[in-house]
Amino acid sequence: MPWELEYVTVLAMTRGKRTQAAELEVRLLREGLVESSHHVQAVACDDRGRVLSVAGNAETATFVRSALKPFQALSITTTGTLERYNLTDRDLAIICSSHKGTIEQVRQAFNILWRSDIDPSALQCPTPEGKRSPLEYNCSGKHAGMLAVCQQRNWPLSNYLQRNHPVQKLILAKVAELLRMPAEEFIGARDDCGAPTYFLQLGQMATLYAQLASGSSLDMERIVRAMTHHPNMVAGEGEFDTEVMRLTQGELVSKSGAEGVQCIGRVGEGLGLAIKVVDGAKRAKYAAAIHILKQLGWVTPAIAETLTESFITLSSFKRLDVLGELSLI
């Protein structure tokens, strides 16, 4: 798909209301002088899909990438797969992860396959360069979870990544139900790991995370519990998602996606935040997220300072600076 299509309006979520405001700008300062800049769009929604505040355009669309993983995990929590194979919250956390391939994380992904009686050769995610096994790939937990569902349902394992496979249809049906959209209206493409990902508006991503964090669904509540109780499984020590969830102690659920996507839900309050850096820069999405979390009051000053030291202050002479705020609708 041509890159120009990445910023088109797919569906109008909020009719008759302003859903556009000035973008945020993240600047790289070297000894106080601007060296680079990134433009950022962001939106906060409630669990009914109402846009509450925005920077940029709430109807901007992009691929959700790995921020989809907690919702792909609904295929696990809604089918009895956890119970059938006696999978734990740690297993569920690695299913939602973009992990670093540590021994602990790789073993957890393997545990899902072992308990489901599936040979690791069934994994169709890539083997990272310089590594020996696809279990070391950052999405291996997600793939292991999909395979476990297939095993539990007696669905074929060999083509589980195809969009017309029952496990992928099940995942899309869950997302479509949450967004109250027909499944056939979603635009899909292959993620780098080979699994389908979907082209969503930022407002839709924020709505999904508001619903995830709302506590209204036992299946999603278990996913949130797994992620927030085992944040080291979700990313890894020193990684943004892990640190946000560790520091906030269950108040926020956080999941990054590639190409500048970041999504966060405020647990128990039905509020969600979605961020997209236009040029895809990872460093800018973390800086923007910290800036917005401070503005929204979702983190304490002490937590904001800790996150700033890790993700905004890059060295003694280089730091990121964020200009702008979310505008209330």
Side-chain angles (χ1 to χ4, degrees), residues 1-15 19 57-64 179 181-188 197-205:
M1 178 178 294
W3 70 267
E4 291 90 347
L5 292 180
E6 189 169 338
Y7 294 98
V8 301
T9 298
V10 179
L11 294 168
M13 294 180 59
T14 308
R15 300 295 186 187
T19 58
N57 190 339
E59 296 170 5
T60 291
T62 189
F63 288 107
V64 62
L179 292 177
M181 282 176 56
E184 57 270 18
E185 291 189 9
F186 284 79
I187 299 172
T197 189
Y198 295 99
F199 196 66
L200 302 180
Q201 294 179 2
L202 288 181
Q204 292 172 321
M205 296 183 204

Side-chain angles (χ1 to χ4, degrees), residues 5-6 37 107-108 112 134 136 176 194 197 201 213 226 228 268 293:
L5 292 180
E6 189 169 338
S37 66
R107 285 176 175 169
Q108 202 67 49
I112 297 166
E136 297 174 272
T197 189
Q201 294 179 2
T228 56
L293 292 175

